[in-house]
Amino acid sequence: MKNHTIVIEFFLLGFGGLHGLQIPLFLLCFLVYVLCLIGNLIILALVSSSHLLDSPMYFFLCHLSVCDMLLTTDIVPSLLYIILRNGRAMSFPECITQFQFFGATTGAECLLLTVMSYDRYLAICQPLSYIPVMDTRRRHLLVAASWGLSVGITLIIALLMSRLNFCSENIIDHFFCDFVPILQLSCSDTRLLQTIDLILTAPVTLLPFMTIIVSYVCIAVVIMKIPTVTGRQKAFSTCSSHLTVVSIYYLSLIAIYMVPTSGRSMTALKVLSLMYTVVIPFLNPLIYTLRNQEIKATFAKMVCLKWKKSETK
């Protein structure tokens, strides 16, 4: 047997060769991160303080906002350090932990978007049964199942990954610990783990995607049957924000994980990953606030109340 150096830490390269673009990229990522947190916190504050937003759709939106904040907080602080230092050493347990949080929040977001699609399907296609079906108990059960399933699946994969052997190579040409880059460095046979990963992740990726497609096909059929243009526009406006978010999110996932990587540079993959882990969580609150009349009205009302209180003091 050959002697091997046992790897106890990885080195993340991040975006190598920035050549003077470190500070602009750092400031851009930091600004997007801060705005992402502010935007999602505003949504949480609006939904929790307004009776106008006391509906299942906004309850699910709150959990989507929590998911976005956890995802960016797992990735961006480390990314900022990598940009400034041209890389970062990360211990093996720390790398697996980052993957665990990344996988759990990603899976939860897929399932929450599916639940929100089902919510819109009930509201538009079966309005008479919407309130009885989407009662408080049901909505809490759906959210708990989304989080529990995604955390449990990712935990199993992370535990199996922690049993892999890493013999010599420890350089990850990425800005966070993703599944494929870690497996590429292992000197163990990873075929079984890849098969298990495919079987376990299908319920939180492919099946939700198919469910969303079916839901919106049914919604589109019902909307087209509405006789008036005003009625169709009103029905479509209730789900347009969510449809926009779903489209951007799944297009990014497909571009990164399902399109063949041959012929694409690592820089292109990193940019796509940056869009999906940083930019999209920043865009989600913007899409929901700018395209949703109820949220805009609640926000304007809250600002007016704060302004009146400040004037009376």
Side-chain angles (χ1 to χ4, degrees):
M1 294 179 64
K2 296 181 180 180
N3 293 327
H4 292 288
T5 301
I6 303 300
V7 173
I8 60 174
E9 69 176 13
F10 298 110
F11 189 82
L12 300 172
L13 291 179
F15 296 90
L18 292 174
H19 304 299
L21 296 177
Q22 288 173 286
I23 300 302
L25 183 59
F26 175 89
L27 293 176
L28 179 62
C29 291
F30 179 76
L31 178 62
V32 169
Y33 177 54
V34 171
L35 292 176
C36 172
L37 293 181
I38 292 174
N40 284 293
L41 286 173
I42 288 175
I43 288 179
L44 291 175
L46 289 175
V47 175
S48 61
S49 62
S50 175
H51 294 293
L52 296 175
L53 304 180
D54 185 17
S55 68
M57 180 176 67
Y58 297 112
F59 174 76
F60 299 136
L61 179 58
C62 283
H63 283 272
L64 188 67
S65 295
V66 172
C67 199
D68 285 335
M69 289 190 291
L70 289 176
L71 175 59
T72 53
T73 301
D74 181 48
I75 300 296
V76 177
S78 176
L79 171 62
L80 295 176
Y81 184 89
I82 290 172
I83 293 173
L84 285 181
R85 300 289 183 175
N86 290 315
R88 180 196 174 187
M90 183 179 290
S91 68
F92 181 66
E94 189 178 3
C95 193
I96 294 297
T97 301
Q98 186 187 54
F99 167 77
Q100 168 68 37
F101 276 93
F102 163 74
T105 51
T106 302
E109 185 143 351
C110 290
L111 292 174
L112 287 171
L113 289 173
T114 308
V115 169
M116 294 173 74
S117 298
Y118 176 63
D119 174 81
R120 292 299 83 205
Y121 164 78
L122 287 177
I124 295 175
C125 300
Q126 300 183 21
L128 296 179
S129 62
Y130 177 63
I131 298 300
V133 172
M134 277 295 175
D135 57 6
T136 302
R137 179 179 175 276
R138 182 69 56 84
R139 68 181 80 166
H140 281 89
L141 183 62
L142 288 171
V143 167
S146 299
W147 282 105
L149 186 61
S150 59
V151 171
I153 289 175
T154 311
L155 181 60
I156 293 173
I157 296 173
L159 289 175
L160 293 174
M161 290 173 65
S162 66
R163 300 174 63 87
L164 296 175
N165 295 317
F166 298 88
C167 304
S168 55
E169 293 292 333
N170 72 329
I171 297 177
I172 297 178
D173 191 11
H174 213 325
F175 60 87
F176 72 98
C177 294
D178 203 356
F179 180 74
V180 175
I182 294 176
L183 260 62
Q184 288 176 342
L185 297 181
S186 176
C187 55
S188 303
D189 186 355
T190 61
R191 287 175 294 181
L192 178 60
L193 178 54
Q194 292 180 55
T195 303
I196 294 174
D197 174 73
L198 183 62
I199 294 173
L200 292 180
T201 55
V204 296
T205 52
L206 296 179
L207 290 180
F209 184 53
M210 294 171 62
T211 303
I212 290 171
I213 291 176
V214 172
S215 298
Y216 274 101
V217 167
C218 296
I219 290 172
V221 170
V222 172
I223 289 177
M224 293 305 296
K225 291 181 179 179
I226 298 176
T228 63
V229 175
T230 304
R232 288 197 295 269
Q233 290 177 345
K234 184 177 180 181
F236 181 74
S237 66
T238 62
C239 58
S240 59
S241 299
H242 179 252
L243 183 59
T244 303
V245 170
V246 167
S247 301
I248 296 174
Y249 187 77
Y250 272 98
L251 283 175
S252 300
L253 283 180
I254 291 170
I256 295 172
Y257 296 107
M258 296 185 182
V259 175
T261 58
S262 58
R264 290 195 299 180
S265 65
M266 279 304 301
T267 302
L269 292 175
K270 291 175 191 176
V271 171
L272 287 172
S273 297
L274 192 66
M275 287 286 297
Y276 148 63
T277 56
V278 180
V279 177
I280 291 177
F282 158 71
L283 291 177
N284 283 353
L286 284 179
I287 293 171
Y288 277 107
T289 53
L290 293 178
R291 297 177 65 90
N292 190 293
Q293 298 299 325
E294 292 178 337
I295 290 183
K296 287 195 290 186
T298 303
F299 181 73
K301 183 178 180 181
M302 180 177 291
V303 171
C304 290
L305 290 176
K306 294 291 184 182
W307 178 265
K308 290 179 180 179
K309 287 182 180 179
S310 63
E311 284 185 336
T312 56
K313 291 182 180 180

